[in-house]
Amino acid sequence: MNGWLQHLPILPVLLPLCTGALLLLSSETQRISRATISICATIAQLTVALVLLVMADGHMAAPWPGEVGVYALGNWAAPFGIVLVVDRLAAIMLALTSTLGLATLIYSLAHWKRAGIHFLPLFQLLLMGLNGAFLTGDLFNLFVFFEVLLAASYGLALHGSGAARVTAGMHYIAVNLVASLLFLIAAALIYGVTGTLNMAELAQRAATLGEEDRILFNLGAMLLGIVFLVKAGAWPLNFWLPDAYGAAAPPVAGIFAILTKVGIYALLRFAVLLEDAGTPAPFGGDWLFYCGLATIATGTLGVLAAQKLDRLAGFLVIVSSGILLAAFGFSGTSLTGPALYYLVSSVLASGAFFLLIEMAERNRTAAADMLSITLEAFGLQDKHESEHPDEMAGVAIPAAMAFLGLAFFSCALLLTGLPPLSGFVGKFALLAAAFSAPPEASIQQAAMFAIALLLSGLAGMIALSRLGIRVFWDTERPAPRLQWIEAGPVAALILLCTLLSLGTEPAMSYFNAAAQSLHDAPAYVGSVLPATTVKGAP
């Protein structure tokens, strides 16, 4: 049995790759539909991710020694061969990706998969790139998996029709192509001075560099940090995000909710590995903390200014990225566990909200976004309603509208951090950890972080209340009709957030353990590199 289990780390990459190729070669006329193949493959990925999650926590016998699993492709040991590395953090991100991917994929089967060609293969390739980015232990292969997920996301961002979608998609593509070029230059600089791109060996060799090589290494690390900040949606490099996410098809925007977390994951991983080598900006010092505060501020202003739910959802993603950047850049390591809890909650809630927006705004009238005083000024007010107000004493609420209202209210609680759901638990844990961190961190840092969290939550509550009134008080709209294939994924994601809040103690315990193992960089390096590896400069 262990002979098969040792190959589990490669399956999150291999399964979507083979599925995507099979979907490209298959046709809709075959007996087994492409949708069935895609769903089965995604369920298989989720199953593998959950097994790896249990193994990494030690609740199931793992086929590798210690808590960190290393899979050497081609049986070539690191640093000479490519390796995939599984620890608690990587397993969490794999499970989160598969969960969100399954929900958005099921939602897309209602009609969005038929809005353009090759949606299902591109979706699988996106999952492949995400899974590979979370698993890889090699900098160049991180670039490769970034390009795989970005190439797939380009097609998905343009999926469907409409000038706004094409315009926003082209901006998204242009920004990420520039970021990819910077990534390649950074990798070349780092390889030129260290002679390796293996993350574990890189952490060892960077500490032994001379003064001249150190300058080039810091330049490469700075470019690499800029790339990760672009992916994370950090200020001032996030101008493209609200339009790109808001204009994308709902299931595409839903899975895009996790794309910014890839950049945050990479920043966190490299910051820990390079800590002993004198971490350059933006990986070290207070730089990341203040970048996170600036990101929260710009996202909060965007939330208040948003006049449409899709743009509001994009700015809420920016706010969540800013909170995570500030938490990971906070002096000390006490915020990492609560930040991982908040990351999972915000990704699930954002994905559900992107899916919910389309259902909530379906069949709305053009006048629904206009203020009532504007309607009256232009003579657009319903005359029947004004002449006979007593006839509108009661309005029937169909089951679909009740579901939409409850789901919208739940997402509002989750995204703004109001009790009692997991969004509140995550923010409360962050604040509690921030104020208990001194003397490692100053009380001023904790106060600024608390103010940023409270003001961003207040702004989100104001904006969601304002736009929610416009959506649900549109009396001229017909009764909404929902399919279970649309309502089911949204309900499932919200239910997962609810379960996360109910199981706060075991969940927080797991995330704290993941944070502890993440910051144990020597254990990571010792697991990846064989004991006979020679340390030192090349």
Side-chain angles (χ1 to χ4, degrees), residues 492-507:
L493 292 176
I494 295 175
L495 179 61
L496 286 176
C497 292
T498 305
L499 294 176
L500 190 63
S501 61
L502 293 176
T504 297
E505 186 173 350

Side-chain angles (χ1 to χ4, degrees), residues 340-385:
L340 293 179
Y341 181 99
Y342 174 78
L343 184 151
V344 173
S345 174
S346 65
V347 168
L348 294 177
S350 298
F353 191 56
F354 276 115
L355 301 181
L356 180 65
I357 289 172
E358 184 202 16
M359 296 188 294
E361 292 195 323
R362 189 177 297 163
N363 299 327
R364 290 186 68 205
T365 61
D369 288 327
M370 301 177 65
L371 296 175
S372 58
I373 189 172
T374 307
L375 293 173
E376 184 178 0
F378 285 90
L380 299 176
Q381 196 173 23
D382 192 340
K383 295 181 179 180
H384 178 77
E385 180 181 349

Side-chain angles (χ1 to χ4, degrees), residues 6 49 58 70 92 160 163 171 271 280 282 288 294 359 363 378 399 438 447 498 510 535:
Q6 68 179 350
V70 179
I92 289 172
H171 290 166
L288 193 60
M359 296 188 294
N363 299 327
F378 285 90
T498 305
Y510 188 92
K535 300 181 181 179

Side-chain angles (χ1 to χ4, degrees), residues 482-528:
L482 303 180
Q483 305 179 53
W484 70 267
I485 205 171
E486 295 175 319
V490 175
L493 292 176
I494 295 175
L495 179 61
L496 286 176
C497 292
T498 305
L499 294 176
L500 190 63
S501 61
L502 293 176
T504 297
E505 186 173 350
M508 196 65 72
S509 175
Y510 188 92
F511 292 128
N512 285 330
Q516 186 63 38
S517 61
L518 168 70
H519 289 285
D520 191 6
Y524 180 94
V525 173
S527 299
V528 174

Side-chain angles (χ1 to χ4, degrees), residues 197-220:
L197 290 174
N198 181 277
M199 295 180 188
E201 190 180 28
L202 190 63
Q204 291 185 337
R205 295 196 176 188
T208 63
L209 293 176
E211 184 176 352
E212 293 182 359
D213 289 340
R214 185 71 190 185
I215 295 175
L216 290 176
F217 177 80
N218 287 344
L219 177 60

Side-chain angles (χ1 to χ4, degrees), residues 18 145 148 174 316 519:
C18 295
F145 284 120
V148 170
L316 287 172
H519 289 285

Side-chain angles (χ1 to χ4, degrees), residues 230-285:
V230 171
K231 310 298 184 186
W235 182 84
L237 306 172
N238 54 12
F239 58 90
W240 53 272
L241 193 149
D243 288 334
Y245 282 37
V252 174
I255 191 64
F256 276 13
I258 199 173
L259 292 191
T260 55
K261 307 311 180 280
V262 181
I264 293 174
Y265 170 87
L267 281 168
L268 181 60
R269 180 70 77 183
F270 274 91
V272 172
L273 287 175
L274 298 179
E275 186 175 5
D276 293 336
T279 314
F283 301 106

Side-chain angles (χ1 to χ4, degrees), residues 145-238:
F145 284 120
F146 264 44
E147 293 309 298
V148 170
L149 73 89
L150 286 174
S153 70
Y154 297 156
L156 292 174
L158 299 174
H159 180 75
S161 60
R165 184 167 296 157
V166 173
T167 302
M170 295 305 294
H171 290 166
Y172 169 75
I173 293 172
V175 169
N176 281 281
L177 286 177
V178 174
S180 297
L181 176 61
L182 293 179
F183 198 154
L184 199 58
I185 295 173
L189 283 172
I190 292 173
Y191 181 75
V193 296
T194 61
T196 185
L197 290 174
N198 181 277
M199 295 180 188
E201 190 180 28
L202 190 63
Q204 291 185 337
R205 295 196 176 188
T208 63
L209 293 176
E211 184 176 352
E212 293 182 359
D213 289 340
R214 185 71 190 185
I215 295 175
L216 290 176
F217 177 80
N218 287 344
L219 177 60
M222 181 189 69
L223 293 176
L224 196 63
I226 293 174
V227 173
F228 294 155
L229 290 173
V230 171
K231 310 298 184 186
W235 182 84
L237 306 172
N238 54 12

